[in-house]
Amino acid sequence: MFLENLGIDADDPIRRGRFWEAALGTTALTVEPDIYETRLDLDGEAYLDLCFVRVPDHPTSPLRLHLDLRGGERQLEVAERLRGLGARDLDIGQGEVPWIVLGDVEGAALCVMEEREEYADTGPIAALQLDVADPRREGDFWAWLTGWVETSGQAPRTLRHPSRRGPLLSLYREPEPKRPGAKNPIHLDIRLEVGDDVEEITAEIAERGGRELHPDWGELPWRIYQDPSGNEFCLLPAPGAAS
């Protein structure tokens, strides 16, 4: 298994996808009215896709997963370039902090980060920040699920691709529990590899505190789960395999 996608709910996938493509310098894979996919190369072999999917209603649930962009010495320049692409300054009660909070073209918060040693070799996305109930427990869960490895960072638990390149997965203690019935506007997708047994993996997800969801969304080529804190993720079938 490996972390393949960021699944992002969107009012207008093409508009939002093109904003992020320009912001990150990614490469478009799919351009359709209801889905826009664009790829961020991590080290020439590994990658992370951003997949923007149209949803019927504007996402209103609190962001439990958001993107921290690398700013560093160019923090002000990066923030100004994003404003030129359609981002706007956002006050989410952050107060005096060393990072800059912006909203993307659909108003979702992102941060342009100050210089930090831990962001060396991350590329344009410094970190994927995920709110969880128990960073230690969920760190073990996500390390097993993604194959990412422990690394140093300011978060209580930080993971990274084994190549030590690309964004961090930073796990922070949630400010409040996930609301019942709420759906995360941004989630992670895991790709199975040939030989992975989805039923065995589903059983282990449950043993580790997660669970499978069965929403009434019709037949889908992937399966939907929650981590122990209620954060959704999908298991995508191995290439060439049925779900």
Side-chain angles (χ1 to χ4, degrees), residues 69-97:
L69 304 191
R70 189 173 182 187
E73 296 178 353
R74 298 176 53 248
Q75 182 187 40
L76 296 179
E77 179 185 339
V78 170
E80 189 59 28
R81 188 173 74 85
L82 293 172
R83 294 184 187 103
L85 295 173
R88 59 183 177 84
D89 290 276
L90 205 60
D91 185 352
I92 55 173
Q94 67 268 24
E96 293 294 326
V97 292

Short mmCIF file of all heavy atoms in Angstrom, two decimals, residues 69-97:
data_model
loop_
_atom_site.label_atom_id
_atom_site.label_comp_id
_atom_site.label_asym_id
_atom_site.label_seq_id
_atom_site.Cartn_x
_atom_site.Cartn_y
_atom_site.Cartn_z
N LEU A 69 2.15 25.13 2.84
CA LEU A 69 3.06 25.32 1.71
C LEU A 69 4.39 25.88 2.18
O LEU A 69 4.46 26.64 3.15
CB LEU A 69 2.43 26.26 0.68
CG LEU A 69 1.05 25.85 0.15
CD1 LEU A 69 0.69 26.72 -1.04
CD2 LEU A 69 1.00 24.38 -0.22
N ARG A 70 5.44 25.48 1.48
CA ARG A 70 6.77 25.95 1.87
C ARG A 70 6.97 27.40 1.44
O ARG A 70 6.77 27.74 0.27
CB ARG A 70 7.84 25.06 1.25
CG ARG A 70 9.22 25.36 1.79
CD ARG A 70 10.25 24.37 1.31
NE ARG A 70 11.55 24.68 1.89
CZ ARG A 70 12.66 24.06 1.56
NH1 ARG A 70 12.64 23.09 0.66
NH2 ARG A 70 13.82 24.38 2.13
N GLY A 71 7.32 28.22 2.39
CA GLY A 71 7.61 29.62 2.11
C GLY A 71 9.07 29.91 2.36
O GLY A 71 9.81 30.34 1.49
N GLY A 72 9.49 29.68 3.61
CA GLY A 72 10.87 29.92 3.97
C GLY A 72 11.29 31.36 3.78
O GLY A 72 10.53 32.29 4.08
N GLU A 73 12.47 31.56 3.23
CA GLU A 73 12.96 32.93 3.01
C GLU A 73 12.11 33.68 2.00
O GLU A 73 12.11 34.91 1.97
CB GLU A 73 14.41 32.88 2.55
CG GLU A 73 15.38 32.31 3.59
CD GLU A 73 16.79 32.24 3.08
OE1 GLU A 73 17.00 32.49 1.87
OE2 GLU A 73 17.69 31.92 3.89
N ARG A 74 11.36 32.94 1.17
CA ARG A 74 10.51 33.56 0.15
C ARG A 74 9.04 33.58 0.59
O ARG A 74 8.15 33.69 -0.24
CB ARG A 74 10.65 32.80 -1.17
CG ARG A 74 12.05 32.81 -1.75
CD ARG A 74 12.16 31.96 -3.01
NE ARG A 74 11.16 32.32 -4.00
CZ ARG A 74 10.15 31.54 -4.37
NH1 ARG A 74 9.98 30.34 -3.79
NH2 ARG A 74 9.29 31.93 -5.28
N GLN A 75 8.79 33.51 1.88
CA GLN A 75 7.42 33.40 2.39
C GLN A 75 6.52 34.51 1.87
O GLN A 75 5.41 34.25 1.36
CB GLN A 75 7.44 33.41 3.92
CG GLN A 75 6.05 33.23 4.55
CD GLN A 75 6.09 33.42 6.05
OE1 GLN A 75 6.79 34.31 6.55
NE2 GLN A 75 5.35 32.58 6.77
N LEU A 76 6.94 35.76 1.96
CA LEU A 76 6.11 36.88 1.53
C LEU A 76 5.89 36.83 0.01
O LEU A 76 4.79 37.09 -0.48
CB LEU A 76 6.75 38.21 1.93
CG LEU A 76 6.88 38.46 3.44
CD1 LEU A 76 7.55 39.80 3.70
CD2 LEU A 76 5.52 38.40 4.12
N GLU A 77 6.92 36.46 -0.73
CA GLU A 77 6.81 36.35 -2.19
C GLU A 77 5.84 35.24 -2.59
O GLU A 77 5.01 35.42 -3.49
CB GLU A 77 8.19 36.08 -2.77
CG GLU A 77 8.21 35.92 -4.28
CD GLU A 77 9.59 35.53 -4.80
OE1 GLU A 77 10.58 35.77 -4.09
OE2 GLU A 77 9.65 34.96 -5.91
N VAL A 78 5.94 34.09 -1.91
CA VAL A 78 5.03 32.98 -2.20
C VAL A 78 3.60 33.37 -1.90
O VAL A 78 2.68 33.12 -2.70
CB VAL A 78 5.44 31.73 -1.40
CG1 VAL A 78 4.36 30.64 -1.52
CG2 VAL A 78 6.78 31.20 -1.88
N ALA A 79 3.37 34.01 -0.76
CA ALA A 79 2.02 34.42 -0.40
C ALA A 79 1.45 35.42 -1.41
O ALA A 79 0.28 35.33 -1.80
CB ALA A 79 2.02 35.03 1.00
N GLU A 80 2.28 36.35 -1.86
CA GLU A 80 1.80 37.34 -2.82
C GLU A 80 1.48 36.70 -4.16
O GLU A 80 0.51 37.07 -4.83
CB GLU A 80 2.85 38.45 -2.99
CG GLU A 80 2.36 39.65 -3.79
CD GLU A 80 1.14 40.33 -3.19
OE1 GLU A 80 0.96 40.27 -1.96
OE2 GLU A 80 0.35 40.91 -3.98
N ARG A 81 2.28 35.73 -4.57
CA ARG A 81 2.00 35.02 -5.82
C ARG A 81 0.67 34.27 -5.73
O ARG A 81 -0.12 34.26 -6.68
CB ARG A 81 3.12 34.05 -6.16
CG ARG A 81 2.99 33.43 -7.56
CD ARG A 81 4.21 32.61 -7.91
NE ARG A 81 4.24 31.35 -7.20
CZ ARG A 81 3.61 30.24 -7.60
NH1 ARG A 81 2.89 30.25 -8.72
NH2 ARG A 81 3.70 29.13 -6.91
N LEU A 82 0.39 33.66 -4.58
CA LEU A 82 -0.88 32.96 -4.39
C LEU A 82 -2.06 33.93 -4.43
O LEU A 82 -3.11 33.62 -4.98
CB LEU A 82 -0.86 32.19 -3.07
CG LEU A 82 0.12 31.01 -3.00
CD1 LEU A 82 0.19 30.46 -1.59
CD2 LEU A 82 -0.28 29.92 -3.98
N ARG A 83 -1.88 35.11 -3.86
CA ARG A 83 -2.93 36.13 -3.94
C ARG A 83 -3.19 36.49 -5.40
O ARG A 83 -4.34 36.69 -5.81
CB ARG A 83 -2.54 37.36 -3.14
CG ARG A 83 -2.45 37.14 -1.63
CD ARG A 83 -2.16 38.45 -0.90
NE ARG A 83 -1.91 38.23 0.52
CZ ARG A 83 -0.71 38.25 1.09
NH1 ARG A 83 0.38 38.50 0.35
NH2 ARG A 83 -0.57 38.04 2.38
N GLY A 84 -2.13 36.56 -6.18
CA GLY A 84 -2.30 36.86 -7.59
C GLY A 84 -3.04 35.77 -8.35
O GLY A 84 -3.65 36.03 -9.39
N LEU A 85 -3.01 34.54 -7.83
CA LEU A 85 -3.72 33.42 -8.44
C LEU A 85 -5.18 33.34 -7.98
O LEU A 85 -5.93 32.53 -8.50
CB LEU A 85 -3.01 32.10 -8.12
CG LEU A 85 -1.61 31.93 -8.70
CD1 LEU A 85 -0.97 30.66 -8.14
CD2 LEU A 85 -1.66 31.87 -10.23
N GLY A 86 -5.54 34.15 -6.99
CA GLY A 86 -6.92 34.16 -6.52
C GLY A 86 -7.10 33.86 -5.06
O GLY A 86 -8.24 33.85 -4.55
N ALA A 87 -6.01 33.60 -4.32
CA ALA A 87 -6.12 33.38 -2.88
C ALA A 87 -6.39 34.71 -2.17
O ALA A 87 -6.14 35.78 -2.72
CB ALA A 87 -4.84 32.75 -2.34
N ARG A 88 -6.89 34.59 -0.95
CA ARG A 88 -7.14 35.80 -0.15
C ARG A 88 -6.71 35.54 1.29
O ARG A 88 -6.68 34.40 1.76
CB ARG A 88 -8.61 36.19 -0.20
CG ARG A 88 -9.56 35.13 0.32
CD ARG A 88 -11.01 35.56 0.17
NE ARG A 88 -11.94 34.52 0.61
CZ ARG A 88 -12.33 34.34 1.86
NH1 ARG A 88 -11.84 35.11 2.81
NH2 ARG A 88 -13.19 33.39 2.17
N ASP A 89 -6.40 36.62 1.98
CA ASP A 89 -6.02 36.50 3.38
C ASP A 89 -7.22 36.03 4.20
O ASP A 89 -8.36 36.42 3.95
CB ASP A 89 -5.50 37.84 3.90
CG ASP A 89 -4.15 38.19 3.30
OD1 ASP A 89 -3.13 37.72 3.82
OD2 ASP A 89 -4.13 38.91 2.28
N LEU A 90 -6.93 35.20 5.21
CA LEU A 90 -7.98 34.56 5.97
C LEU A 90 -7.66 34.67 7.45
O LEU A 90 -6.53 34.43 7.88
CB LEU A 90 -8.07 33.08 5.57
CG LEU A 90 -9.37 32.33 5.76
CD1 LEU A 90 -10.50 32.98 4.97
CD2 LEU A 90 -9.20 30.87 5.34
N ASP A 91 -8.67 35.06 8.23
CA ASP A 91 -8.53 35.10 9.69
C ASP A 91 -9.36 33.97 10.26
O ASP A 91 -10.59 33.98 10.21
CB ASP A 91 -9.03 36.44 10.23
CG ASP A 91 -8.81 36.58 11.73
OD1 ASP A 91 -8.42 35.58 12.37
OD2 ASP A 91 -9.05 37.68 12.27
N ILE A 92 -8.66 32.94 10.78
CA ILE A 92 -9.34 31.81 11.41
C ILE A 92 -9.06 31.80 12.90
O ILE A 92 -9.15 30.76 13.56
CB ILE A 92 -8.92 30.47 10.76
CG1 ILE A 92 -7.40 30.30 10.81
CG2 ILE A 92 -9.41 30.40 9.32
CD1 ILE A 92 -6.92 28.93 10.33
N GLY A 93 -8.70 32.98 13.42
CA GLY A 93 -8.38 33.09 14.83
C GLY A 93 -6.95 32.70 15.16
O GLY A 93 -6.64 32.40 16.31
N GLN A 94 -6.06 32.77 14.17
CA GLN A 94 -4.69 32.30 14.38
C GLN A 94 -3.86 33.25 15.23
O GLN A 94 -2.83 32.85 15.79
CB GLN A 94 -3.99 32.05 13.03
CG GLN A 94 -3.74 33.31 12.20
CD GLN A 94 -4.86 33.60 11.23
OE1 GLN A 94 -5.98 33.17 11.44
NE2 GLN A 94 -4.56 34.31 10.16
N GLY A 95 -4.27 34.52 15.34
CA GLY A 95 -3.50 35.47 16.12
C GLY A 95 -2.14 35.75 15.51
O GLY A 95 -1.96 35.66 14.29
N GLU A 96 -1.16 36.06 16.37
CA GLU A 96 0.19 36.36 15.90
C GLU A 96 0.97 35.05 15.73
O GLU A 96 1.38 34.42 16.70
CB GLU A 96 0.89 37.28 16.89
CG GLU A 96 0.29 38.67 16.99
CD GLU A 96 0.45 39.46 15.71
OE1 GLU A 96 1.49 39.28 15.05
OE2 GLU A 96 -0.44 40.26 15.39
N VAL A 97 1.16 34.66 14.50
CA VAL A 97 1.89 33.42 14.20
C VAL A 97 2.90 33.72 13.10
O VAL A 97 2.74 34.69 12.34
CB VAL A 97 0.92 32.29 13.76
CG1 VAL A 97 0.03 31.85 14.92
CG2 VAL A 97 0.08 32.73 12.56
#
